[in-house]
Amino acid sequence: MPSLAARKKQTAAESSASRPALLLDWYDRHRRRLPWRAAAGERADPYRVWLSEIMLQQTGVKTVGPYFEKFLARWPDVGALGRASQDDVLRMWAGLGYYSRARNLHACAVAVLRDHGGVFPGSEEGLRQLPGIGPYTARAIAAIAFDIQTMPVDGNIERVVSRLYAVEEPLPQAKPRIQELAATLLGASRAGDSAQALMDLGSSICTPKKPACALCPLNEDCAARLRGDQESFPRKAPKKSGTLRRGAAFIVTRGDELLVRTRAEKGLLGGMTEVPGSDWLAGQDDKAALKQAPELKGITRWHRKVGVVTHVFTHFPLELVIYTADVAARTRPPAGMRWVPVATLADEALPNVMRKAIAHGLD
DNA sequence: GACGCGTGGCC
DNA sequence: TGGCCAAGCGT
């Protein structure tokens, strides 16, 4: 076999015929070791691949790591996860965001247990039918865990491919075209490694800002690099930011207990624990928000904490005013609410915005 | 196809 | 520091 340098030179001269081989060579030398990845040459466990792919949706590798380990230790296989309660899964997921993923994760495990005898379907089409598994994740599991010749396309691969071919069409319209181009980077085998090679390349070399093109195995015939405007790809339609919303959160203590409730099953922060609060509306003032305070015996006046809690969701920024009150022992909670010891708050399915509100209120 | 859906890290 | 970005899915 000719040396790597010789093969690379030869490839540049012969156009892109052996890009898949260059990519796999690079991957064999530089692949990242991640908790859900099998050793070189080994087939990955579908459960681990699935669990990691769901957690990694719109979420960084570093953030996912500890959650993946926690889940694996508590639920070592899909059967164990399918027999757990949704509430336990939500509690374990708390802090990771996009909570519909956790609900679908549990629903998926239940479905695999009930409809597939506890074994993941081994085809892209079969996987695609399961809750929480969309076109990307179905392809990723099929390629990585089942060695099926298919190319998943995530944000990293969109960036790499759009630069390689200088795709002028903006996202998301360009998705079908990019999917076609990405599939040409599949070799005759090792589909999962080809996909993971492109993802590693996208996260470590072909980064959004200041890509390290000198280190890229595909730099010789990258169309965007030849033009010198790599960072301008992928083209994207400009996106609009949301309007500021305001609301109030009520921190009610009864000794060392805190008043909480569970949010509606669907929608924003669905199924998660929260402290009682007002609606979150654009242009709402403090007085209007205070009118939505929970009614409890013995509260003569609310204490308004100095300052506000701010939080930025994907589609809108939020400002919460914090009101506090302390009530007598044995005060009944309003309908739909409950008291929980402050000491056990860590075990609740509390999204970060609520942790911030509580921290501010108890401060 | 557009929108709703968290959070943390980056410069 | 505020906008951008990260292994998308469901509706």
Side-chain angles (χ1 to χ4, degrees), chain A residues 12-356:
Chain A
E14 292 177 354
S15 92
S16 59
S18 70
R19 275 174 168 169
L22 286 172
L23 203 51
L24 288 170
D25 284 340
W26 178 85
Y27 185 66
D28 289 338
R29 284 175 290 130
H30 298 294
R31 72 198 207 78
R32 292 180 293 176
R33 291 185 221 300
L34 300 171
W36 43 87
R37 279 191 181 166
E42 301 286 314
R43 183 75 62 83
D45 172 11
Y47 173 65
R48 292 181 181 228
V49 174
W50 164 70
L51 181 59
S52 67
E53 288 298 342
I54 301 299
M55 288 182 168
L56 287 163
Q57 287 167 9
Q58 301 291 285
T59 308
V61 164
K62 187 176 269 182
T63 304
V64 164
Y67 283 87
F68 178 82
E69 303 283 12
K70 269 197 319 187
F71 268 70
L72 202 66
R74 177 150 178 193
W75 298 299
D77 54 57
V78 68
L81 187 57
R83 288 185 293 272
S85 71
Q86 178 186 280
D87 196 54
D88 280 346
V89 174
L90 280 178
R91 275 203 289 270
M92 198 73 97
W93 194 278
L96 196 51
Y98 284 132
Y99 298 99
S100 67
R101 291 186 299 172
R103 299 193 296 273
N104 284 329
L105 183 85
H106 181 250
C108 182
V110 168
V112 169
L113 199 53
R114 185 191 57 218
D115 303 335
H116 303 276
V119 180
F120 277 92
S123 73
E124 193 178 318
E125 298 71 26
L127 290 162
R128 185 67 182 78
Q129 303 308 312
L130 292 165
I133 297 184
Y136 162 78
T137 306
R139 284 194 152 103
I141 299 172
I144 297 169
F146 296 110
D147 198 26
I148 290 169
Q149 289 293 305
T150 184
M151 180 60 88
V153 177
D154 69 341
N156 283 311
I157 299 182
E158 278 178 351
R159 186 171 58 255
V160 173
V161 171
S162 67
R163 287 174 178 171
L164 212 46
Y165 294 92
V167 176
E168 290 293 349
E169 193 181 6
L171 289 169
Q173 298 93 311
K175 279 176 182 289
R177 175 69 181 144
I178 291 177
Q179 174 71 57
E180 281 177 27
L181 292 171
T184 69
L185 297 171
L186 278 172
S189 62
R190 298 182 65 190
D193 286 349
S194 296
Q196 293 178 97
L198 282 174
M199 293 180 209
D200 280 14
L201 198 58
S203 75
S204 62
I205 307 282
C206 195
T207 48
K209 307 285 183 192
K210 302 191 182 306
C213 298
L215 303 178
C216 178
L218 306 180
N219 60 11
E220 302 266 345
D221 55 357
C222 173
R225 177 169 174 266
L226 293 173
R227 299 160 35 132
D229 62 344
Q230 306 88 303
E231 279 192 34
S232 71
F233 294 92
R235 307 281 200 232
K236 286 184 183 177
K239 53 178 150 188
K240 41 204 158 190
S241 84
T243 309
L244 173 69
R245 301 186 199 180
R246 289 194 172 91
F250 303 100
I251 307 297
V252 186
T253 49
R254 187 182 73 169
D256 55 7
E257 295 173 309
L258 179 71
L259 185 66
V260 302
R261 63 188 180 191
T262 300
R263 291 180 64 92
E265 187 63 22
K266 293 194 172 182
L268 181 65
L269 306 175
M272 302 295 286
T273 303
E274 68 173 0
V275 294
S278 71
D279 297 329
W280 299 342
L281 300 172
Q284 177 174 237
D285 64 25
D286 296 5
K287 194 173 295 183
L290 181 56
K291 285 181 180 168
Q292 299 176 51
E295 294 186 16
L296 286 107
K297 276 196 170 162
I299 296 184
T300 54
R301 69 182 192 68
W302 291 91
H303 175 66
R304 187 196 187 295
K305 298 290 283 192
V306 173
V308 294
V309 170
T310 62
H311 190 77
V312 182
F313 292 100
T314 312
H315 49 304
F316 67 92
L318 175 67
E319 268 185 21
L320 287 178
V321 172
I322 308 297
Y323 291 98
T324 64
D326 190 57
V327 299
R330 291 189 303 283
T331 302
R332 295 271 183 85
M337 303 191 199
R338 61 184 190 277
W339 299 106
V340 298
V342 170
T344 65
L345 281 177
D347 300 329
E348 289 288 327
L350 280 174
N352 277 11
V353 60
M354 288 300 148
R355 293 178 192 261
K356 287 188 204 173

